[in-house]
């Protein structure tokens, strides 16, 4: 579809510094100086809409290694098999144990409205139609030694996430994410780095998980070579997702230009999403490919991604797609 985006991102925000005049607003004196982060995003579109507001204090109480974050969101998307609308808010408290190790807890409250089913008669989808109240308590432990969150060349990221969901549904969910980056070589000035990256994602969720919270795969960041959610279990041609996910990727990233605005990528994505907690070799997907990364400073630190992948192993019900395009802000 087509979408536009407006972002207000202030890294030295202060909610207590109210403007005393219009000149304070235009000169940049108002709402600044407190070291807080404020981000508002407005993204209207014909298939996807997203509106979010988030405030973060990275040093709660001014000196302790605690952080506090609160935010709200409104989100709508026309998926292949239904239309989904989410309205809610979240509050998170974090603690930096060391420079690389952090823990956090989060409470998320949202109303999820499911409408316009493409196919009737699928029990999992029919039971989720209408408004659904979801409350999620999350606990997260992360160790991050990467040199950069975007286009990393060294280090690793390990995340352990546990969710307990309550409200209209009651179930637990666990996720383990691991990424490791090996620098192969670089120029004497430290640029032009060649990197091998390996990532794994593993997750399981309870049997009471609603269809809109199941695991799905297909597309950039999951399984390239497939359409968005196209490598997911189906019932009567409806992508219902699954209770278990295992995804992996092996990439070799290398610069194509001296300023590293253009990078090449050779990769192979693999993995599966299963309806229940049982691995089925017939559903295991493998897709090698080649890609291009274009860094445009005006669009932020995440590069544009152009990838060509061809599935060499897939399920009979999968929707394949050789070319994929991704912009970081989406």
């Amino acid at each position: 579809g087509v979408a536009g985006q407006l972002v207000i991102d202030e890294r030295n925000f202060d909610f207590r510094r109210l403007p005393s005049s219009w000149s304070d607003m235009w000169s940049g004196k108002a709402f600044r100086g407190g070291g807080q982060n404020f981000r508002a995003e407005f993204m209207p579109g014909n298939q996807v809409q997203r509106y979010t507001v988030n405030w973060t204090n990275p040093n709660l109480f001014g000196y302790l290694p605690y952080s506090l974050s609160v935010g709200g969101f409104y989100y709508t998307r026309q998926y292949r098999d239904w239309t989904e609308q989410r309205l809610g808010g979240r509050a998170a408290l974090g603690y930096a144990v060391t420079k690389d190790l952090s823990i956090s807890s989060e409470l998320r409250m949202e109303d999820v409205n499911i409408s316009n089913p493409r196919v009737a008669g699928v029990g999992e989808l029919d039971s989720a139609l209408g408004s659904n109240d979801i409350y999620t308590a999350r606990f997260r432990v992360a160790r991050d030694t990467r040199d950069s969150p975007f286009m990393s060349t060294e280090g690793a990221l390990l995340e352990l996430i546990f969710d307990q969901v309550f409200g209209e549904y009651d179930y637990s969910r666990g996720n383990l994410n691991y990424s490791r980056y090996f620098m192969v070589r670089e120029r004497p000035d430290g640029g032009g780095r060649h990197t091998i990256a390996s990532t794994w994602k593993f997750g399981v969720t309870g049997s009471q998980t609603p269809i809109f919270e199941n695991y799905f795969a297909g597309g950039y960041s999951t399984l390239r070579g497939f359409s968005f959610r196209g490598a997911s279990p189906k019932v009567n041609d409806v992508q219902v997702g699954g209770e278990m996910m295992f995804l992996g990727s092996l990439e070799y990233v290398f610069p194509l230009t001296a300023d590293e605005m253009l990078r090449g990528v050779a990769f192979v994505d693999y993995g599966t999403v299963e309806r229940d907690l049982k691995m089925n070799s017939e559903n295991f997907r493998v897709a090698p490919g080649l890609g291009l990364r274009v860094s445009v400073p005006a669009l932020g630190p995440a590069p544009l991604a152009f990838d060509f992948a061809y599935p060499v192993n897939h399920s009979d019900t999968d929707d394949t797609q050789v070319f994929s395009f991704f912009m970081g802000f989406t």
Side-chain angles (χ1 to χ4, degrees):
V2 178
Q5 187 195 41
L6 172 65
V7 174
I8 301 172
D9 193 0
E10 174 58 58
R11 303 297 178 88
N12 192 26
F13 188 74
D14 189 349
F15 70 90
R16 297 167 299 181
R17 192 161 186 172
L18 301 176
S20 58
S21 64
W22 280 107
S23 62
D24 287 348
M25 292 292 297
W26 299 118
S27 64
K29 295 180 180 179
F31 299 111
R32 286 184 179 173
Q36 306 154 13
N37 298 332
F38 176 81
R39 179 183 175 90
E41 178 186 17
F42 308 91
M43 195 184 87
N46 68 327
Q47 292 190 32
V48 181
Q49 296 186 69
R50 183 171 67 242
Y51 306 93
T52 65
V53 177
N54 192 74
W55 171 86
T56 301
N57 189 338
N59 293 292
L60 196 59
F61 310 126
Y63 58 92
L64 294 174
Y66 292 95
S67 64
L68 175 66
S69 177
V70 295
F73 55 88
Y74 174 75
Y75 169 92
T76 64
R77 178 158 189 159
Q78 297 179 18
Y79 289 102
R80 174 181 179 269
D81 296 310
W82 65 80
T83 299
E84 186 171 308
Q85 173 186 294
R86 293 178 181 249
L87 174 66
R90 55 176 290 276
L93 180 66
Y95 177 71
V97 181
T98 66
K99 175 177 173 291
D100 302 325
L101 181 64
S102 64
I103 59 176
S104 65
S105 59
E106 176 181 324
L107 180 63
R108 182 186 182 104
M109 301 159 287
E110 57 186 321
D111 175 74
V112 184
N113 189 282
I114 306 297
S115 60
N116 302 325
R118 184 178 63 87
V119 177
V122 177
E124 292 178 69
L125 179 55
D126 292 345
S127 63
L129 294 177
S131 178
N132 303 270
D133 293 328
I134 300 292
Y135 305 94
T136 304
R138 167 170 291 187
F139 181 75
R140 173 180 178 268
V141 178
R143 185 175 186 272
D144 190 354
T145 61
R146 297 173 299 172
D147 56 351
S148 170
F150 299 100
M151 299 302 294
S152 307
T153 61
E154 288 183 297
L157 170 64
L158 174 64
E159 283 186 309
L160 300 174
I161 302 173
F162 175 79
D163 292 343
Q164 179 59 52
V165 180
F166 51 98
E168 294 188 30
Y169 303 90
D170 187 359
Y171 62 92
S172 302
R173 177 195 297 261
N175 291 284
L176 187 153
N177 303 317
Y178 182 70
S179 302
R180 185 74 172 92
Y181 302 89
F182 303 91
M183 186 185 65
V184 179
R185 64 187 183 90
E186 63 180 348
R187 297 194 306 256
D189 62 358
R193 293 188 169 188
H194 294 234
T195 304
I196 294 177
S198 182
T199 63
W200 295 277
K201 299 178 182 179
F202 177 73
V204 293
T205 188
S207 59
Q208 293 190 30
T209 304
I211 187 173
F212 54 84
E213 290 291 285
N214 277 340
Y215 293 111
F216 297 87
Y220 186 81
S221 81
T222 58
L223 284 171
R224 288 163 287 191
F226 300 86
S227 63
F228 177 68
R229 293 191 171 185
S232 306
K234 290 183 179 180
V235 173
N236 295 340
D237 197 40
V238 173
Q239 296 169 346
V240 297
E243 297 178 6
M244 184 179 71
M245 171 193 69
F246 171 70
L247 301 174
S249 180
L250 183 65
E251 289 190 341
Y252 180 67
V253 184
F254 52 94
L256 295 175
T257 58
D259 60 2
E260 300 184 64
M261 180 173 288
L262 297 179
R263 293 182 175 92
V265 181
F267 63 87
V268 57
D269 291 348
Y270 54 90
T272 184
V273 171
E274 299 289 349
R275 286 267 287 161
D276 49 33
L277 305 182
K278 182 180 178 180
M279 191 77 72
N280 188 342
S281 60
E282 295 180 357
N283 296 331
F284 199 82
R285 288 90 171 176
V286 179
L290 297 172
L292 180 69
R293 301 291 178 266
V294 182
S295 298
V296 181
L299 295 180
L304 306 180
F306 305 85
D307 290 313
F308 294 86
Y310 182 79
V312 295
N313 197 47
H314 59 86
S315 175
D316 294 337
T317 60
D318 288 346
D319 297 328
T320 60
Q321 179 177 302
V322 173
F323 174 71
S324 63
F325 165 67
F326 184 81
M327 296 184 70
F329 70 78
T330 59

